[in-house]
Amino acid sequence: MDAGLVLRFPLLFSLPPAGRWLTIQFDLGLAPATIDAYGRALVDYLRFSQQHTFVVETATREHIAAYVHHLANQPAVRPTPDRTAGLANATMQQRLVAVRLFYDFLVEEGLRTQDNPVRRGIYTPHKGFGGSRERGLIPHYQKLPWIPSDEEWSALLTVLKQEPIRNRLMFALSYDAALRREEICTLQTGDVDPTRRLITLRAEATKGRRSRVVPYSPATGQLYMAYLHQRQRLSRQRGPLFLSESRRNRSQPISIWTWAKAIRTIARRAGLPRFTSHTLRHLCLTDLARAGWDIHEIALFAGHRHTDTTLIYIHLSGRDLADRLAKSMNSVHAWRIALLEGLASVN
């Protein structure tokens, strides 16, 4: 049993099957962010079960339905114009995936005699054109990610100029290389090649467990060299690139939570509450699509396993639609001009 997991999720480990399940996921080598998401989701469900006094191991579909209602109607942590209550659809899906996998474990271990109470979507290949998928427990919405406008980007950079050099470098690298927060926080000093301005992302530090090499800009290179001088005052040893400067964790590797908190502070000061650490990745990939990069090139740069994910950024950029509209308008324009030319032959 990992002591770190017990300290982070004491409530979860108070229920032995839950602690065993999360420990197995940890031992299987799942990404730290995935382990954390599973742990937080299951803790939330256990708290709900305590508040409504039902036994987790024998929960019914009625209990799960009540939990879904709870997720959909609790006050929104970050309200938006189109959602003032409830968790985001993606967050609800994430919570229910963890609960469903936990009940799979209980059934497989013989700790639960009933079926899994969390419904799955059912694929029926004989229905419709090319088959269809019946909805699962809740509908799944595929929304395009939010990205800042040019004016909002300028506001962010104005605020960023007042940040420490470490935060400025992490911000710039995250955009340049479309890095996830786990990838930026786990960078090692040996992962950066300043002579060629390249970053090597190790497989074990990526979501898809696939290594890749990505470039960064000359401006970010200047920030990197300036940060190295500051880092030497914290530690001269090789290892984690970004170190904490706080008194409590001085010289310790920066955590994803510290970085997320720093981004929230920057976003709040810029008046952009929807901006997160992942927005930098969304913006970079969208800009690459706007610049005309091929979908497979963007997928390789981003570390996507499937181009279906990459298509989101093609849609967000509007590149294909804009090109098609321009071509259509050109053809219509040429057709109208041809008709106008016919007027010259009329006496």
Side-chain angles (χ1 to χ4, degrees), residues 103-122:
Y103 277 112
D104 279 344
F105 170 75
L106 294 182
V107 172
E108 292 169 0
E109 292 292 306
L111 300 175
R112 177 182 170 87
T113 57
Q114 307 99 314
D115 292 337
N116 192 325
V118 185
R119 177 183 172 185
R120 283 177 165 81
I122 303 172

Side-chain angles (χ1 to χ4, degrees), residues 9 11-12 14-15 17-18 21 37-71 74 87 91-92 94-104 106 112 115-119 137:
F9 306 111
L11 176 60
L12 191 150
S14 67
L15 183 68
W21 176 75
Y38 282 174
R40 287 186 291 114
L42 203 51
V43 164
D44 184 73
Y45 178 64
L46 293 183
R47 285 175 179 159
F48 178 81
S49 71
Q50 291 178 345
Q51 293 169 0
H52 292 75
T53 61
F54 66 86
V55 179
V56 170
E57 291 92 330
T58 58
T60 65
R61 292 192 176 184
E62 286 77 13
H63 294 122
I64 298 299
Y67 180 57
V68 171
H69 180 79
H70 163 73
L71 296 178
Q74 62 181 273
L87 299 180
T91 305
M92 291 180 64
Q94 185 185 72
R95 296 277 175 91
L96 291 174
V97 164
V99 175
R100 187 183 70 221
L101 293 176
F102 173 60
Y103 277 112
D104 279 344
L106 294 182
R112 177 182 170 87
D115 292 337
N116 192 325
V118 185
R119 177 183 172 185
L137 197 60

Side-chain angles (χ1 to χ4, degrees), residues 150-167:
D150 293 344
E151 293 76 15
E152 290 168 334
W153 178 251
S154 296
L156 281 165
L157 295 186
T158 299
V159 172
L160 190 66
K161 290 178 182 178
Q162 305 170 27
E163 288 291 305
I165 185 67
R166 184 201 66 192
N167 290 352

Side-chain angles (χ1 to χ4, degrees), residues 142-147 274 282 286 312-313 316:
Q142 184 67 56
K143 292 185 178 181
L144 293 177
W146 175 84
I147 59 173
R274 299 176 68 182
H282 290 321
T286 303
I312 294 173
Y313 303 100
L316 191 59

